[in-house]
Amino acid sequence: MNPFRFLWRMIRFRPGLYGINAFAWVMIALAPVVPGLLTKQFFDSLTGSSTLGFGTGSIVALLIGAAVGRVALIVFGFITDVHFRFRMGMLVRRNLLEHVLGQPGARAIPCSPGEAISYFRDDVDQCEEAASWSVDTLGMVCFAAVSSFILVRIDAQMTLLVFLPLVLVVTAAQLATSRLQKYRAASREATARVTGAISEMFANVQAIQVAGAEARVIDRFKRFSEDRRKTMLKDRLMGDALTSVFANSVNLGTGLILLLAGQKMRSGAFTVGDFSLFVYYLTFVTQFITNAGRFMAYFKQMGVSLVRLAELLQGASPDKLTRFAALPLKKGGRGQNAAEASRAVSSAAGEWLDTLEAEGLTYRFPETGRGISGINLRLEKGSFTVVTGMIGSGKTTLVRTLLGLLPKDGGTIRWNGSLVEDPASFFVPPRSAYTAQVPRLYSDTLRNNILLGLGGGDDSRLQLAIHSAVMEDDIVRLRDGLETMIGPRGVKLSGGQAQRTAAARMLVRDAELYVFDDLSSALDVETERKLWERLFRERGGAACLVVSHRKAALMHADHIIVMNNGRIEAEGSAERLLAVSPSFRKLWHGENETAG
C-alpha cells in the first residue's frame, strides 16, 4: 500500500478524533508564541523600551499563566493522542487478525508464529507512530509560519541568516534517512527471526531433548541474537546520530544569533528584547525542523512496515489493513458482540442441517501434487459417516478441504441445497464443530480449554459434553477438577485426555455437524467403546463425520467411505465393503490381528 494512502485512510477512520487531536497539538505548538512576546517585553521593560505598558511583575505573572496553560494543553494533547493512536493500532491489528483467522488453516500465516508476533507488535507500532507524529508536524508548521512572520518583521536579514543554515543542516541530515530505512528493515527482520526461534523452541522442547540437539539449537539462537544485536546497534546509532544533528542545530543557531546580534544592538536597531525573542523562538523553530525530520523518518519506516504487513495478507488488497470496523471498547461490549455474532451465524444458517453434499471436491498440495480429487460426498441429518483408509490415502485432506481449512481447487459444497461460497467462514458453530488429529490446548484451566470463550451460565451443557467425551472419571482424579491448570499445549494431560478434552470442547457447542479427525487414536479399547457409544446415543440428532480406522468407530457407522490414493475406492456398509474393498479388508483384519 502507498504510505500516503495508508495514512489518509487511518485519518478517515476517526476524522473527528484526528481533528481534535490535530487542534490540540496545533495549540500546543502555537502556545510558545505568546510567552516569546512576553519575554521580549520583559527584557525591554528592564531597559525602559517596553511598549506593553505592564509592570515587570505583571509580565512575570502572565508568563507563569502562559506556562500553566501550555501544561494543560499538553495534558489534553496526550489524552487525545493516546485515544487516536491506539485506535489506529487496534484497527490494523483487528483487520490483520480477522484476515489471518479467515484464511484456510494450512496457509493462515506465511511465517512462523514468532515472526507474526513481531509483525503485529513492531510493524503496527511503527505505523501508529507515523500517524501520531503527523499532528505534531502540522502543529510545528503552524508555529513556524507564525514565528517566522513575527521575526521577519523585526529583522528579515537576521531571520534568513540564522534559519537558512539550520534548514540546510537538517536537510543534509535527512538525506541519510534512506540508510536509516535500510537499517530499520534489517533490524525488524532480525527481531522476527529471534522471536520465531523462541516460538519454535518452546513448541518443540521434547523433540529437541530426545534428539540431543540442545547445543545446536542454542548455537543457532545465539547466531540470530548476535545478528539482531548488530542490526539494532546500527539502527540505534544511525537514529541517535540524526537526533544529535537535529538537537545540536539549536546551538549552531544560538551561535549565529550571538555573532550577528552584537553589531545590530550597538547600532540601536536591535533591542535586548529582540535578542531574547530570537533565542526563545529558535528552540521551537529548530524543534519544528527536528520533528519534521523525525516524521519523515517515521514515514519512511512506515513504508518498510507496510511491506512487511502486506506479507501477512498474502496477495489480498492492502486496503484490508485499514478497513473500517467497529472497535468495542466499552465494558460489556465483548459479550454483547459475541452474542450478536452468534445470533448472526444462527440466522445466516437458514434451515438446520438436512443434507450436506460435496461434488467433485479437489485439493492438491502445491509442494507434492498429492491430495484428493473428484470426491463426491453426501451427509444427512443424524447420520454417522466414517472415512477410513490407509495412511496417506487423503482422509484428513478430505475433511479439511470440506471445512475450508484447505482451499479447495475445485468442486462445490451445498448445505441443504444452497451453495457454500466460503467454507472457512461457513463451517463454524452452530453449523459445525471440528476436532483435529492433534488437539490444540492452551496453558489455562481445563474448564476454559473446553469452553474456549463460550459464555452462558448453563453448566448442564458442559457436564453433558464431559460425559459424552468420557472425561468424568479423569476430572475426579485431577487435583483441582475442572479448574486444573493443564500447562502449555496440555502437557499435564495424557494423550487420551487431551483428545477427549478436544472432543468435549467440540460437543459443548451443540452443532448440527460434528467432524472428528482420528479422535480415538490414543484411547484404550474400553474408553474408545464408551466414547462412540455415548456419542452415538447423546449427539441429539446431529450428523457425524468421523475419520478413523478403528473397529469401534466402524461398527457404529451408517455409511463408510474408503479412501485410496486421494480418491474414493468404495463406500457402503461394513458388510458390503468386506466383500468388495481390498483396502477395507486389510484395515479390518489388520486391526483384528494386532488386537489378537
Side-chain angles (χ1 to χ4, degrees):
M1 175 183 283
N2 183 294
F4 289 101
R5 177 175 172 80
F6 177 85
L7 185 58
W8 175 241
R9 287 178 62 85
M10 293 272 276
I11 292 171
R12 285 181 56 208
F13 173 57
R14 287 287 186 272
L17 186 58
Y18 183 84
I20 294 172
N21 193 36
F23 174 78
W25 285 94
V26 167
M27 296 307 297
I28 290 170
L30 290 176
V33 171
V34 173
L37 295 173
L38 290 173
T39 301
K40 168 179 163 54
Q41 295 299 326
F42 173 79
F43 283 103
D44 283 344
S45 69
L46 297 179
T47 59
S49 57
S50 173
T51 59
L52 190 60
F54 290 165
T56 303
S58 299
I59 295 175
V60 170
L62 288 172
L63 283 171
I64 294 173
V68 172
R70 188 164 190 262
V71 169
L73 281 173
I74 290 173
V75 171
F76 177 70
F78 273 107
I79 292 173
T80 59
D81 190 57
V82 165
H83 279 278
F84 170 74
R85 68 178 295 165
F86 285 108
R87 276 174 171 79
M88 299 302 100
M90 287 173 63
L91 176 70
V92 176
R93 289 187 177 98
R94 177 214 171 279
N95 289 339
L96 270 176
L97 186 61
E98 181 184 58
H99 176 77
V100 168
L101 294 177
Q103 289 292 97
R107 61 179 192 188
I109 53 175
C111 55
S112 72
E115 291 174 305
I117 289 172
S118 175
Y119 289 13
F120 271 82
R121 180 190 62 204
D122 301 329
D123 291 300
V124 174
D125 280 348
Q126 192 66 63
C127 296
E128 224 179 77
E129 199 75 34
S132 175
W133 272 86
S134 66
V135 297
D136 295 75
T137 305
L138 176 63
M140 295 308 296
V141 166
C142 293
F143 174 80
V146 173
S147 61
S148 296
F149 175 77
I150 295 172
L151 295 178
V152 166
R153 291 190 63 185
I154 294 174
D155 194 313
Q157 180 189 31
M158 189 166 174
T159 301
L160 291 175
L161 290 175
V162 169
F163 295 114
L164 185 59
L166 296 184
V167 172
L168 294 176
V169 168
V170 175
T171 301
Q174 286 304 320
L175 297 177
T177 58
S178 59
R179 186 170 294 275
L180 176 63
Q181 187 177 17
K182 174 183 174 183
Y183 290 157
R184 180 57 53 89
S187 69
R188 287 280 189 266
E189 292 173 2
T191 299
R193 285 195 295 270
V194 169
T195 55
I198 293 172
S199 174
E200 290 171 357
M201 284 191 291
F202 284 165
N204 298 284
V205 172
Q206 291 182 343
I208 293 169
Q209 291 175 333
V210 169
E214 292 94 332
R216 292 190 296 276
V217 170
I218 291 173
D219 286 342
R220 177 173 176 265
F221 182 71
K222 285 181 177 178
R223 289 197 303 273
F224 286 165
S225 297
E226 180 64 16
D227 288 342
R228 179 175 180 266
R229 183 188 68 80
K230 291 178 180 178
T231 56
M232 292 197 73
L233 181 61
K234 291 179 181 178
D235 184 21
R236 180 62 62 85
L237 285 175
M238 192 67 185
D240 288 350
L242 291 176
T243 301
S244 176
V245 170
F246 297 147
N248 285 293
S249 59
V250 175
N251 299 328
L252 174 63
T254 303
L256 289 172
I257 291 174
L258 288 171
L259 290 174
L260 297 172
Q263 184 177 357
K264 290 180 178 291
M265 291 176 69
R266 282 195 300 270
S267 65
F270 203 73
T271 67
V272 175
D274 293 334
F275 174 79
S276 66
L277 182 63
F278 265 81
V279 173
Y280 187 87
Y281 280 176
L282 174 66
T283 301
F284 296 100
V285 171
T286 309
Q287 184 180 356
F288 153 67
I289 302 172
T290 302
N291 287 355
R294 189 171 295 176
F295 172 68
M296 291 173 63
Y298 284 145
F299 191 78
K300 290 182 178 180
Q301 291 162 3
M302 182 178 72
V304 174
S305 295
L306 288 176
V307 171
R308 285 166 50 82
L309 292 174
E311 295 176 8
L312 285 182
L313 297 179
Q314 303 181 74
S317 171
D319 284 345
K320 273 197 169 186
L321 291 174
T322 49
R323 186 180 70 82
F324 297 168
L327 298 175
L329 301 177
K330 294 182 179 178
K331 185 176 181 181
R334 178 180 176 184
Q336 292 168 0
N337 283 326
E340 290 171 3
S342 178
R343 287 194 295 271
V345 171
S346 298
S347 62
E351 302 171 0
W352 297 116
L353 175 63
D354 288 327
T355 59
L356 173 63
E357 298 170 291
E359 296 180 2
L361 201 60
T362 299
Y363 174 77
R364 296 288 183 184
F365 289 98
E367 300 83 2
T368 63
R370 296 177 60 85
I372 59 172
S373 179
I375 301 297
N376 296 326
L377 175 70
R378 178 183 173 88
L379 303 177
E380 296 185 354
K381 181 179 179 64
S383 62
F384 195 102
T385 302
V386 176
V387 180
T388 191
M390 298 296 183
I391 294 174
S393 60
K395 306 183 295 296
T396 294
T397 304
L398 168 57
V399 297
R400 287 172 63 82
T401 305
L402 177 69
L403 298 177
L405 299 174
L406 293 172
K408 62 184 176 66
D409 296 328
T412 59
I413 302 170
R414 296 184 183 277
W415 177 280
N416 298 341
S418 298
L419 186 66
V420 177
E421 297 286 354
D422 183 11
S425 60
F426 184 89
F427 286 106
V428 295
R431 295 191 187 100
S432 72
Y434 167 70
T435 183
Q437 279 183 321
V438 180
R440 300 294 183 183
L441 303 180
Y442 303 91
S443 184
D444 203 338
T445 65
L446 183 59
R447 178 190 297 274
N448 289 341
N449 268 275
I450 294 173
L451 294 176
L452 207 62
L454 188 66
D458 184 8
D459 202 46
S460 60
R461 287 174 60 188
L462 175 60
Q463 295 304 322
L464 179 60
I466 289 170
H467 181 266
S468 298
V470 198
M471 285 202 67
E472 64 275 13
D473 292 339
D474 300 83
I475 291 174
V476 170
R477 289 193 292 269
L478 292 173
R479 185 180 64 181
D480 297 319
L482 281 171
E483 305 308 319
T484 300
M485 295 293 295
I486 64 174
R489 300 179 307 283
V491 295
K492 294 184 179 180
L493 302 179
S494 68
Q497 287 173 330
Q499 285 186 327
R500 283 176 287 137
T501 299
R505 174 194 295 168
M506 179 175 64
L507 295 169
V508 79
R509 274 148 178 82
D510 196 21
E512 287 288 291
L513 170 67
Y514 293 122
V515 182
F516 302 85
D517 191 353
D518 206 13
L519 172 67
S520 58
S521 60
L523 303 185
D524 60 79
V525 175
E526 180 60 21
T527 302
E528 182 185 14
R529 182 188 64 78
K530 288 182 180 180
L531 175 69
W532 294 122
E533 285 182 355
R534 292 181 184 182
L535 178 64
F536 195 79
R537 185 174 62 248
E538 299 170 1
R539 57 193 161 128
C544 291
L545 180 61
V546 178
V547 173
S548 180
H549 65 275
R550 305 284 287 265
K551 182 181 286 189
L554 295 169
M555 289 176 64
H556 284 90
D558 304 323
H559 189 73
I560 301 172
I561 297 173
V562 182
M563 296 291 295
N564 188 10
N565 198 26
R567 295 180 178 272
I568 295 178
E569 177 185 279
E571 56 184 313
S573 64
E575 293 78 5
R576 179 180 179 277
L577 292 174
L578 284 170
V580 301
S581 173
S583 297
F584 186 76
R585 284 196 297 270
K586 189 180 294 185
L587 287 166
W588 186 273
H589 296 303
E591 184 174 336
N592 285 342
E593 291 168 4
T594 303

